[in-house]
PDB file of all heavy atoms in Angstrom:
ATOM      1  N   PHE A 145      28.734 140.503  79.181  1.00 94.00           N
ATOM      2  CA  PHE A 145      29.785 139.644  79.739  1.00 94.00           C
ATOM      3  C   PHE A 145      29.752 138.244  79.125  1.00 94.00           C
ATOM      4  O   PHE A 145      30.508 137.365  79.527  1.00 94.00           O
ATOM      5  CB  PHE A 145      29.578 139.516  81.264  1.00 94.00           C
ATOM      6  CG  PHE A 145      28.194 139.047  81.586  1.00 94.00           C
ATOM      7  CD1 PHE A 145      27.919 137.703  81.681  1.00 94.00           C
ATOM      8  CD2 PHE A 145      27.154 139.953  81.733  1.00 94.00           C
ATOM      9  CE1 PHE A 145      26.632 137.255  81.918  1.00 94.00           C
ATOM     10  CE2 PHE A 145      25.862 139.519  81.964  1.00 94.00           C
ATOM     11  CZ  PHE A 145      25.606 138.167  82.054  1.00 94.00           C
ATOM     12  N   GLY A 198      22.975 126.486  78.171  1.00 91.00           N
ATOM     13  CA  GLY A 198      23.959 126.551  77.092  1.00 91.00           C
ATOM     14  C   GLY A 198      23.744 127.810  76.273  1.00 91.00           C
ATOM     15  O   GLY A 198      23.488 128.885  76.823  1.00 91.00           O
ATOM     16  N   GLY A 200      21.894 130.467  73.998  1.00 93.00           N
ATOM     17  CA  GLY A 200      20.545 130.917  73.673  1.00 93.00           C
ATOM     18  C   GLY A 200      19.686 131.272  74.871  1.00 93.00           C
ATOM     19  O   GLY A 200      20.005 130.947  76.008  1.00 93.00           O
ATOM     20  N   SER A 232      17.220 128.317  82.630  1.00 97.00           N
ATOM     21  CA  SER A 232      17.807 129.606  83.000  1.00 97.00           C
ATOM     22  C   SER A 232      17.389 130.683  82.006  1.00 97.00           C
ATOM     23  O   SER A 232      17.535 130.521  80.800  1.00 97.00           O
ATOM     24  CB  SER A 232      19.337 129.489  83.020  1.00 97.00           C
ATOM     25  OG  SER A 232      19.925 130.755  83.253  1.00 97.00           O
ATOM     26  N   SER A 254      19.075 134.918  85.468  1.00 98.00           N
ATOM     27  CA  SER A 254      20.361 135.625  85.386  1.00 98.00           C
ATOM     28  C   SER A 254      20.175 137.023  85.936  1.00 98.00           C
ATOM     29  O   SER A 254      19.843 137.941  85.205  1.00 98.00           O
ATOM     30  CB  SER A 254      20.815 135.674  83.925  1.00 98.00           C
ATOM     31  OG  SER A 254      21.073 134.380  83.477  1.00 98.00           O
ATOM     32  N   HIS A 256      22.335 139.089  88.286  1.00 98.00           N
ATOM     33  CA  HIS A 256      23.622 139.741  87.995  1.00 98.00           C
ATOM     34  C   HIS A 256      23.816 141.187  88.442  1.00 98.00           C
ATOM     35  O   HIS A 256      24.926 141.706  88.331  1.00 98.00           O
ATOM     36  CB  HIS A 256      23.946 139.685  86.496  1.00 98.00           C
ATOM     37  CG  HIS A 256      23.998 138.298  85.919  1.00 98.00           C
ATOM     38  ND1 HIS A 256      24.464 137.207  86.605  1.00 98.00           N
ATOM     39  CD2 HIS A 256      23.634 137.823  84.695  1.00 98.00           C
ATOM     40  CE1 HIS A 256      24.392 136.132  85.840  1.00 98.00           C
ATOM     41  NE2 HIS A 256      23.879 136.472  84.687  1.00 98.00           N
ATOM     42  N   GLU A 297      21.138 133.580  89.587  1.00 97.00           N
ATOM     43  CA  GLU A 297      22.529 133.506  89.130  1.00 97.00           C
ATOM     44  C   GLU A 297      23.125 134.906  89.193  1.00 97.00           C
ATOM     45  O   GLU A 297      22.481 135.892  88.816  1.00 97.00           O
ATOM     46  CB  GLU A 297      22.573 132.972  87.694  1.00 97.00           C
ATOM     47  CG  GLU A 297      22.064 131.545  87.599  1.00 97.00           C
ATOM     48  CD  GLU A 297      21.715 131.157  86.172  1.00 97.00           C
ATOM     49  OE1 GLU A 297      20.685 131.658  85.665  1.00 97.00           O
ATOM     50  OE2 GLU A 297      22.469 130.384  85.567  1.00 97.00           O
ATOM     51  N   ASN A 331      33.742 133.956  83.800  1.00 89.00           N
ATOM     52  CA  ASN A 331      34.632 133.177  82.940  1.00 89.00           C
ATOM     53  C   ASN A 331      35.091 134.053  81.795  1.00 89.00           C
ATOM     54  O   ASN A 331      34.301 134.379  80.918  1.00 89.00           O
ATOM     55  CB  ASN A 331      33.897 131.954  82.376  1.00 89.00           C
ATOM     56  CG  ASN A 331      33.597 130.959  83.463  1.00 89.00           C
ATOM     57  OD1 ASN A 331      34.485 130.560  84.202  1.00 89.00           O
ATOM     58  ND2 ASN A 331      32.339 130.572  83.582  1.00 89.00           N
ATOM     59  N   GLY A 375      28.736 130.475  79.727  1.00 54.00           N
ATOM     60  CA  GLY A 375      28.874 131.731  79.002  1.00 54.00           C
ATOM     61  C   GLY A 375      30.043 131.759  78.045  1.00 54.00           C
ATOM     62  O   GLY A 375      30.289 132.756  77.382  1.00 54.00           O
TER      63      GLY A 375
HETATM   64  N1  SAH B   1      20.380 132.693  78.174  1.00 96.20           N
HETATM   65  C1  SAH B   1      20.144 132.126  79.431  1.00 96.20           C
HETATM   66  C2  SAH B   1      20.881 130.837  79.691  1.00 96.20           C
HETATM   67  C3  SAH B   1      22.303 130.697  79.238  1.00 96.20           C
HETATM   68  S1  SAH B   1      23.666 131.299  80.124  1.00 96.20           S
HETATM   69  C4  SAH B   1      20.457 133.106  80.525  1.00 96.20           C
HETATM   70  O1  SAH B   1      21.043 134.136  80.245  1.00 96.20           O
HETATM   71  O2  SAH B   1      20.073 132.851  81.652  1.00 96.20           O
HETATM   72  C5  SAH B   1      23.842 130.447  81.689  1.00 96.20           C
HETATM   73  C6  SAH B   1      24.400 131.389  82.765  1.00 96.20           C
HETATM   74  O3  SAH B   1      25.773 131.750  82.532  1.00 96.20           O
HETATM   75  C7  SAH B   1      23.637 132.701  82.833  1.00 96.20           C
HETATM   76  O4  SAH B   1      23.394 133.067  84.160  1.00 96.20           O
HETATM   77  C8  SAH B   1      24.606 133.667  82.190  1.00 96.20           C
HETATM   78  O5  SAH B   1      24.330 134.975  82.561  1.00 96.20           O
HETATM   79  C9  SAH B   1      25.928 133.158  82.700  1.00 96.20           C
HETATM   80  N2  SAH B   1      27.092 133.622  81.936  1.00 96.20           N
HETATM   81  C10 SAH B   1      27.140 134.043  80.662  1.00 96.20           C
HETATM   82  N3  SAH B   1      28.399 134.399  80.336  1.00 96.20           N
HETATM   83  C11 SAH B   1      29.160 134.191  81.416  1.00 96.20           C
HETATM   84  C12 SAH B   1      30.550 134.328  81.678  1.00 96.20           C
HETATM   85  N4  SAH B   1      31.394 134.750  80.745  1.00 96.20           N
HETATM   86  N5  SAH B   1      31.000 134.008  82.911  1.00 96.20           N
HETATM   87  C13 SAH B   1      30.151 133.543  83.848  1.00 96.20           C
HETATM   88  N6  SAH B   1      28.834 133.369  83.655  1.00 96.20           N
HETATM   89  C14 SAH B   1      28.341 133.691  82.450  1.00 96.20           C
END
Side-chain angles (χ1 to χ4, degrees):
F145 54 89
S232 175
S254 295
H256 302 325
E297 296 163 288
N331 291 308

